[in-house]
PDB file of all heavy atoms in Angstrom:
ATOM      1  N   ARG F 891      34.086  22.432 -39.208  1.00 87.00           N
ATOM      2  CA  ARG F 891      35.200  23.283 -39.128  1.00 87.00           C
ATOM      3  C   ARG F 891      35.279  24.137 -40.418  1.00 87.00           C
ATOM      4  O   ARG F 891      35.568  25.378 -40.346  1.00 87.00           O
ATOM      5  CB  ARG F 891      36.491  22.514 -38.907  1.00 87.00           C
ATOM      6  CG  ARG F 891      36.599  22.008 -37.497  1.00 87.00           C
ATOM      7  CD  ARG F 891      37.862  21.266 -37.316  1.00 87.00           C
ATOM      8  NE  ARG F 891      37.946  20.597 -35.965  1.00 87.00           N
ATOM      9  CZ  ARG F 891      38.782  19.709 -35.681  1.00 87.00           C
ATOM     10  NH1 ARG F 891      39.663  19.266 -36.479  1.00 87.00           N
ATOM     11  NH2 ARG F 891      38.712  19.273 -34.403  1.00 87.00           N
ATOM     12  N   ILE F 909      35.124  48.421 -47.075  1.00 93.00           N
ATOM     13  CA  ILE F 909      35.832  49.596 -46.542  1.00 93.00           C
ATOM     14  C   ILE F 909      36.825  50.134 -47.591  1.00 93.00           C
ATOM     15  O   ILE F 909      36.850  51.408 -47.828  1.00 93.00           O
ATOM     16  CB  ILE F 909      36.564  49.185 -45.271  1.00 93.00           C
ATOM     17  CG1 ILE F 909      35.575  48.893 -44.107  1.00 93.00           C
ATOM     18  CG2 ILE F 909      37.578  50.367 -44.848  1.00 93.00           C
ATOM     19  CD1 ILE F 909      36.159  48.327 -42.863  1.00 93.00           C
ATOM     20  N   MET F 940      15.086  30.383 -65.508  1.00 87.00           N
ATOM     21  CA  MET F 940      13.842  29.853 -66.306  1.00 87.00           C
ATOM     22  C   MET F 940      14.367  29.190 -67.604  1.00 87.00           C
ATOM     23  O   MET F 940      13.789  28.183 -67.988  1.00 87.00           O
ATOM     24  CB  MET F 940      12.916  31.029 -66.656  1.00 87.00           C
ATOM     25  CG  MET F 940      12.331  31.686 -65.469  1.00 87.00           C
ATOM     26  SD  MET F 940      11.323  30.507 -64.446  1.00 87.00           S
ATOM     27  CE  MET F 940       9.954  30.273 -65.551  1.00 87.00           C
ATOM     28  N   GLN F 947      13.434  20.508 -69.012  1.00 87.00           N
ATOM     29  CA  GLN F 947      12.071  19.885 -69.483  1.00 87.00           C
ATOM     30  C   GLN F 947      12.175  19.335 -70.905  1.00 87.00           C
ATOM     31  O   GLN F 947      11.676  18.275 -71.155  1.00 87.00           O
ATOM     32  CB  GLN F 947      11.019  20.858 -69.317  1.00 87.00           C
ATOM     33  CG  GLN F 947      10.696  21.177 -67.802  1.00 87.00           C
ATOM     34  CD  GLN F 947       9.739  22.395 -67.729  1.00 87.00           C
ATOM     35  OE1 GLN F 947       9.470  23.122 -68.664  1.00 87.00           O
ATOM     36  NE2 GLN F 947       9.072  22.347 -66.555  1.00 87.00           N
ATOM     37  N   ALA F 969      24.769  31.166 -57.819  1.00 90.00           N
ATOM     38  CA  ALA F 969      24.967  32.596 -58.257  1.00 90.00           C
ATOM     39  C   ALA F 969      23.904  33.461 -57.544  1.00 90.00           C
ATOM     40  O   ALA F 969      24.243  34.599 -57.118  1.00 90.00           O
ATOM     41  CB  ALA F 969      24.906  32.715 -59.750  1.00 90.00           C
ATOM     42  N   VAL F 971      22.291  33.068 -54.753  1.00 87.00           N
ATOM     43  CA  VAL F 971      22.589  33.176 -53.351  1.00 87.00           C
ATOM     44  C   VAL F 971      23.747  34.148 -53.189  1.00 87.00           C
ATOM     45  O   VAL F 971      23.719  34.976 -52.301  1.00 87.00           O
ATOM     46  CB  VAL F 971      22.882  31.838 -52.744  1.00 87.00           C
ATOM     47  CG1 VAL F 971      23.464  31.928 -51.328  1.00 87.00           C
ATOM     48  CG2 VAL F 971      21.628  30.927 -52.648  1.00 87.00           C
ATOM     49  N   THR F 980      31.368  38.334 -53.111  1.00 90.00           N
ATOM     50  CA  THR F 980      30.344  37.286 -53.448  1.00 90.00           C
ATOM     51  C   THR F 980      29.628  37.724 -54.791  1.00 90.00           C
ATOM     52  O   THR F 980      29.182  36.888 -55.433  1.00 90.00           O
ATOM     53  CB  THR F 980      29.357  37.236 -52.265  1.00 90.00           C
ATOM     54  OG1 THR F 980      28.868  38.470 -51.936  1.00 90.00           O
ATOM     55  CG2 THR F 980      29.918  36.556 -51.097  1.00 90.00           C
ATOM     56  N   PRO F 990      28.114  32.313 -69.093  1.00 89.00           N
ATOM     57  CA  PRO F 990      28.130  30.892 -69.708  1.00 89.00           C
ATOM     58  C   PRO F 990      29.533  30.391 -69.990  1.00 89.00           C
ATOM     59  O   PRO F 990      29.827  29.198 -69.874  1.00 89.00           O
ATOM     60  CB  PRO F 990      27.273  31.060 -71.040  1.00 89.00           C
ATOM     61  CG  PRO F 990      26.387  32.229 -70.711  1.00 89.00           C
ATOM     62  CD  PRO F 990      27.170  33.148 -69.827  1.00 89.00           C
ATOM     63  N   GLN F1022      42.147  -6.720 -61.967  1.00 46.00           N
ATOM     64  CA  GLN F1022      42.307  -6.990 -63.340  1.00 46.00           C
ATOM     65  C   GLN F1022      42.678  -8.437 -63.685  1.00 46.00           C
ATOM     66  O   GLN F1022      42.169  -9.001 -64.658  1.00 46.00           O
ATOM     67  CB  GLN F1022      43.383  -6.012 -63.971  1.00 46.00           C
ATOM     68  CG  GLN F1022      42.915  -4.608 -64.081  1.00 46.00           C
ATOM     69  CD  GLN F1022      41.805  -4.332 -65.111  1.00 46.00           C
ATOM     70  OE1 GLN F1022      41.657  -5.137 -66.063  1.00 46.00           O
ATOM     71  NE2 GLN F1022      41.117  -3.261 -64.914  1.00 46.00           N
ATOM     72  N   ARG F1035      28.823 -17.349 -71.488  1.00 60.00           N
ATOM     73  CA  ARG F1035      27.596 -17.331 -70.614  1.00 60.00           C
ATOM     74  C   ARG F1035      26.455 -16.487 -71.299  1.00 60.00           C
ATOM     75  O   ARG F1035      26.699 -15.528 -72.013  1.00 60.00           O
ATOM     76  CB  ARG F1035      27.847 -16.735 -69.241  1.00 60.00           C
ATOM     77  CG  ARG F1035      28.584 -17.528 -68.326  1.00 60.00           C
ATOM     78  CD  ARG F1035      28.677 -16.961 -67.006  1.00 60.00           C
ATOM     79  NE  ARG F1035      29.632 -17.629 -66.155  1.00 60.00           N
ATOM     80  CZ  ARG F1035      30.004 -17.276 -65.011  1.00 60.00           C
ATOM     81  NH1 ARG F1035      29.688 -16.107 -64.463  1.00 60.00           N
ATOM     82  NH2 ARG F1035      30.835 -17.958 -64.274  1.00 60.00           N
TER      83      ARG F1035
END
Side-chain angles (χ1 to χ4, degrees):
R891 288 180 183 167
I909 291 170
M940 294 303 288
Q947 291 173 340
V971 169
T980 53
Q1022 289 292 338
R1035 289 186 185 170

